[in-house]
Amino acid sequence: MYHLGTVSASKLLDCQVDLARGVRRAIEITVQDFMVFEVLRELERQRLLVASGASRTLDSFHLADKYGMSHATDLVPWIAGKPQWQNAPCIEVARAMHRASKQFSLPVTWGGVWDKLLTELDPEDLEGEIEEYVQRWRRKHLRPPGHIGYWGPLIDRPHFQVPRS
């Protein structure tokens, strides 16, 4: 069984209370250790993330609501003493968040599949759920003429968010 480190736990103080509760439960039941990488974000950082392609919106749930709270968190696998972003460990963290979300009836959206709640996904086939989401996204969005390279939605496996009030 894992537990949140001091830094991760302190970051959750800026996180919407239900989402923070889900994260605390997920660390108790996960098979993959993780850290709370980011919760609250300044607008300037969000602008930089959009400019770099790491985010696609300036209306991020990481930005403070009217109470100064974030409605998003990035949970990054912790392996051999450092954060790691590989797909398989991120999927294990998502499975733990799925279980926690189901247990607490939390309306969590995961950055791997943006158009459904995490609890609506099959936790045993999250990679398949991502593939289906990409296909749904592509059906809705026309490829820009002359576009070269990746064409699809932003897949952000460490990201979890709850609705703003």
Side-chain angles (χ1 to χ4, degrees):
M1 184 155 95
Y2 298 106
H3 66 279
L4 293 176
T6 305
V7 174
S8 287
S10 69
K11 288 179 182 180
L12 288 181
L13 297 175
D14 294 322
C15 189
Q16 191 272 352
V17 66
D18 295 325
L19 180 56
R21 181 178 179 219
V23 170
R24 286 187 200 98
R25 179 64 182 140
I27 196 69
E28 294 173 349
I29 60 178
T30 189
V31 298
Q32 172 58 62
D33 195 9
F34 63 83
M35 66 176 292
V36 178
F37 185 76
E38 191 167 29
V39 176
L40 197 57
R41 193 180 283 167
E42 296 293 326
L43 182 57
E44 185 54 35
R45 173 156 165 69
Q46 188 63 31
R47 284 190 179 112
L48 292 171
L49 291 170
V50 169
S52 74
S55 181
R56 294 196 179 164
T57 182
L58 290 176
D59 190 28
S60 172
F61 281 46
H62 283 283
L63 301 175
D65 66 10
K66 63 184 177 182
Y67 303 107
M69 304 302 284
S70 170
H71 287 246
T73 185
D74 294 332
L75 306 177
V76 176
W78 187 255
I79 303 170
K82 59 185 179 178
Q84 301 286 316
W85 281 263
Q86 289 87 355
N87 291 343
C90 285
I91 292 293
E92 291 303 330
V93 174
R95 283 189 179 117
M97 279 299 291
H98 181 281
R99 287 179 55 204
S101 298
K102 204 163 198 107
Q103 180 178 350
F104 296 139
S105 299
L106 295 178
V108 173
T109 299
W110 175 46
V113 179
W114 292 94
D115 64 349
K116 292 184 177 184
L117 292 177
L118 183 56
T119 54
E120 295 172 347
L121 305 178
D122 177 358
E124 299 310 313
D125 188 25
L126 291 176
E127 285 294 350
E129 295 279 6
I130 292 170
E131 290 173 21
E132 289 177 20
Y133 167 64
V134 169
Q135 294 308 313
R136 287 191 303 274
W137 187 94
R138 286 182 173 163
R139 284 192 296 272
K140 287 183 181 178
H141 300 85
L142 295 177
R143 181 188 291 266
H147 179 83
I148 298 172
Y150 177 74
W151 167 69
L154 177 68
I155 303 300
D156 188 0
R157 287 173 183 84
H159 181 88
F160 301 88
Q161 68 184 38
V162 292
R164 294 178 183 134
S165 303

